[in-house]
Amino acid sequence: MAAAVALASPLRRLLRAPQPRRAVPAPYYFFSRGRCGATIAVTAGAAKDSAVNASVDRIVAEEVRNILYMLMQAERASQRRDVFHTNFLTPPIIKEAMVAIEKLADIKAVAQGGYPEAERCRISVGHPDSLTSNPDTVAALSISGNFRLEPCSHGDFLGAILGTGITREKVGDILLQGEKGAQVLVDPELVDYLTSTLEKVGKVGVSCTQIPLLALEYEPPRTKSFKTVEASLRVDALASAGFKISRTKLASLISAGDVRVNWTPVLKNGVTLESGDVVSVSGMGRLKVN
């Protein structure tokens, strides 16, 4: 399920602000487990937790700033008919980056994640004449092994990949396949490295091979809609209702870093949600506030 973050005001400020001439840092993007979701319609009112939300806005705004800096580089590349590719980005950043690209003259952008409903995507930007067809910027790998007795989670596969020294932004979606293993989308430049380096996920020995994108096996996320009435729009109130767990259990998940709002980890139970916000809990899926 895709989601959008309301960043209009920070983005306008970034577009007006001069961009620093410096190397772009490699931000760490988080990816939640689970592919099912739930939608909640809430009738309630609450005060804004401005301190925490401002901190979250700063994190996302900095990511957008990095994207805009890269877009400046891409605009220069476009003048030379070159094509520039970003790393894998999360849905909120993809949305804001695409909006920013629309403001730039003589530049075309294509977002690709390897399959139609991909969550994490790379954006290719350049002059329209240079992007006459979809660029080949995403590769698919099959990680296979006998996971019947040792089932592994999304986090296990991601941890094994990152354990080879690869950074998170070079890895796209991970499609779990139960006992068979998983299919992973990666930067094509890393295919040879991973196929020769990745040997184990958890305690299971694995083989890693490249497969065509058409061989990817995926299903649309299953969703359901329901209504609830809560005393506030706090994340612990809505998430406990949406995932049908106690607030005590949710508080422990927040402390462990397993709860995210719009792909950014929340730090406190009292973070206030707004319409359109997406809450994800590792291993449980995600919900969107209507």
Side-chain angles (χ1 to χ4, degrees), residues 97-110:
M98 296 298 281
V99 170
I101 291 170
E102 292 178 356
K103 301 178 182 297
L104 303 177
D106 298 326
I107 288 184
K108 179 182 177 181
V110 176

Side-chain angles (χ1 to χ4, degrees), residues 190-205:
L190 300 177
V191 168
D192 291 341
Y193 176 75
L194 279 173
T195 54
S196 62
T197 304
L198 187 62
E199 299 179 345
K200 185 177 290 189
V201 175
K203 298 180 180 179
V204 180

